[in-house]
Amino acid sequence: MRDVASAAGVSVATVPRVLNSSGSVTSVTRHNVQQAVARLAYVPDNAARSLSTRNTRCIGVLLPDLYGEFFSELIRGVDRAVRARGLHLLLSCSHGDAGEARAALEALRGRVDGMLIMSPHVDNKVLSASVPSSLPTVLMNTHIDASRYSTIGIDNEGGAGALMRHLAGRGHRRIAHIAGPEDNVDAKGRLSGYLHGLAELLPGATPQVLRGDFTEESGYRAGRQLVSLSERPDAVFAANDMMAIGCLFALSEAGIVVPDEIALAGFDDVPIARFVSPPLTTVRIRIAELGELALERLVTAIDAGAVDKVTRQTLRTELVVRSSCSRARPTVIAVDGRRRR
């Protein structure tokens, strides 16, 4: 910066005023500084700048995984909101390991102005040890009872309950569930909605739960298990769309027609759900909107310095009826029962 100042014939203090568009400088001075910056190929040191301004213009995001359409949509929503504010993302994931989650959080310390965290491997102990109490943080879909962090999540149980009411209302009596990972908060909520719905709507029906891990492969394996049963279910509710799509492939491979022989439904409404054959009945989460809202909540806290102002928000879901459960044209039914086209 001293070299730029010398080449432009200005004081060192004038250079950052031009670069940051802060303070008043004449047009001639601005032109001279910009010319010197271009000629010397000067690039500001962001680390030094953040020490001076206490502002990195970066947001840290920790996710459990980066694979699959759900996380792609979530990142798209966060990125859209970040770019609109001239910010940047530093993205990491826990890879299904608590140690990696801690390491990622510690690596982001000092490099970001705030943190978005979605990880089943982060608990209060990890947060206290790895995230400074002064750092604005928003937790997404958390199982943590964290009184000092803002949270934003999904009404998983309500969405699963709406889907169960739809299946039972269509006359299905043997409804199986392909559950997600045992330590995942979304999977737990959807399993709870399935079990409560079964008990309420079909008293005496035996729960049939197969365990998956949210991947297409685990849905395919569950579908193969269902195909081998002597008494198959007449409907399958998978805890996410990707497992439902894997199950659909296994059923088709065995010559079982969906929905004529077995109805099939998922959860999330990822983009591909409407393009499989038959198109998938599912519970819609506005995934990109979840990312945008979480980022907006975080930016509000950063701008206001309101790290002590804790908020809670749960996003509603919608039931989207498509051909995998019905021959009717696609219908969106909010959890409150109102129909939308």
Side-chain angles (χ1 to χ4, degrees):
M1 196 152 58
R2 283 194 296 270
D3 293 339
V4 170
S6 176
V10 300
S11 69
V12 173
T14 299
V15 176
R17 288 207 298 272
V18 172
L19 296 176
N20 298 328
S21 299
S22 62
S24 59
V25 295
T26 67
S27 59
V28 172
T29 297
R30 184 177 304 280
H31 174 76
N32 289 342
V33 170
Q34 290 171 341
Q35 288 290 97
V37 166
R39 188 165 64 253
L40 297 173
Y42 170 70
V43 178
D45 186 331
N46 286 326
R49 176 182 284 181
S50 67
L51 287 173
S52 173
T53 64
R54 298 182 182 275
N55 190 329
T56 67
R57 304 296 294 167
C58 289
I59 300 298
V61 181
L62 177 66
L63 299 176
D65 203 342
L66 301 181
Y67 173 77
E69 288 204 52
F70 179 91
F71 294 113
S72 175
E73 278 292 287
L74 184 68
I75 294 167
R76 185 173 70 87
V78 175
D79 180 64
R80 190 162 58 198
V82 159
R83 285 189 293 110
R85 291 162 177 78
L87 303 173
H88 302 281
L89 282 182
L90 292 181
L91 182 65
S92 190
C93 67
S94 56
H95 298 287
D97 182 85
E100 289 204 33
R102 282 193 298 272
L105 291 174
E106 289 165 6
L108 291 169
R109 288 179 63 167
R111 301 183 180 187
V112 297
D113 298 329
M115 197 94 74
L116 296 178
I117 299 174
M118 176 190 286
S119 174
H121 306 289
V122 173
D123 56 20
N124 281 306
K125 184 178 179 181
V126 171
L127 285 173
S128 298
S130 306
V131 179
S133 59
S134 60
L135 183 68
T137 299
V138 173
L139 306 178
M140 298 180 288
N141 290 14
T142 182
H143 65 287
I144 304 170
D145 183 16
S147 59
R148 68 188 181 101
Y149 298 101
S150 291
T151 63
I152 183 167
I154 298 161
D155 183 12
N156 289 297
E157 187 164 351
L163 181 54
M164 289 297 290
R165 287 193 294 275
H166 173 73
L167 292 174
R170 291 294 176 112
H172 298 292
R173 295 296 177 263
R174 300 187 308 280
I175 305 172
H177 180 58
I178 306 175
E182 292 185 55
D183 60 356
N184 183 279
V185 65
D186 294 320
K188 288 179 180 178
R190 295 166 196 182
L191 174 60
S192 179
Y194 163 77
L195 294 173
H196 288 160
L198 202 66
E200 176 188 346
L201 301 164
L202 302 171
T206 302
Q208 188 174 15
V209 179
L210 299 89
R211 185 62 63 176
D213 61 10
F214 281 159
T215 65
E216 302 97 313
E217 290 84 359
S218 68
Y220 176 77
R221 290 193 298 270
R224 291 289 298 271
Q225 286 180 259
L226 294 171
V227 165
S228 68
L229 296 175
S230 57
E231 186 177 21
R232 296 169 182 159
D234 55 21
V236 177
F237 162 32
N240 79 339
D241 291 341
M242 302 318 292
M243 291 195 298
I245 290 168
C247 181
L248 175 62
F249 185 79
L251 296 178
S252 300
E253 193 177 61
I256 296 172
V257 180
V258 175
D260 296 353
E261 297 176 73
I262 297 180
L264 180 64
F267 205 112
D268 287 341
D269 196 27
V270 297
I272 200 173
R274 71 199 68 177
F275 298 117
V276 295
S277 181
L280 188 64
T281 290
T282 186
V283 176
R284 175 177 294 162
I285 302 168
R286 299 188 184 277
I287 305 168
E289 183 180 332
L290 170 64
E292 287 185 273
L293 290 174
L295 191 281
E296 288 170 6
R297 182 69 48 80
L298 182 62
V299 169
T300 298
I302 293 169
D303 290 345
V307 295
D308 294 325
K309 186 177 181 182
V310 172
T311 59
R312 303 273 183 262
Q313 184 175 2
T314 301
L315 301 184
R316 295 170 62 183
T317 57
E318 296 173 319
L319 176 61
V320 182
V321 179
R322 299 192 180 106
S323 313
S324 68
C325 285
S326 169
R327 294 296 183 188
R329 67 188 179 123
T331 302
V332 176
I333 306 174
V335 171
D336 61 11
R338 290 178 296 177
R339 287 177 174 266
R340 302 191 185 106
R341 293 287 180 185

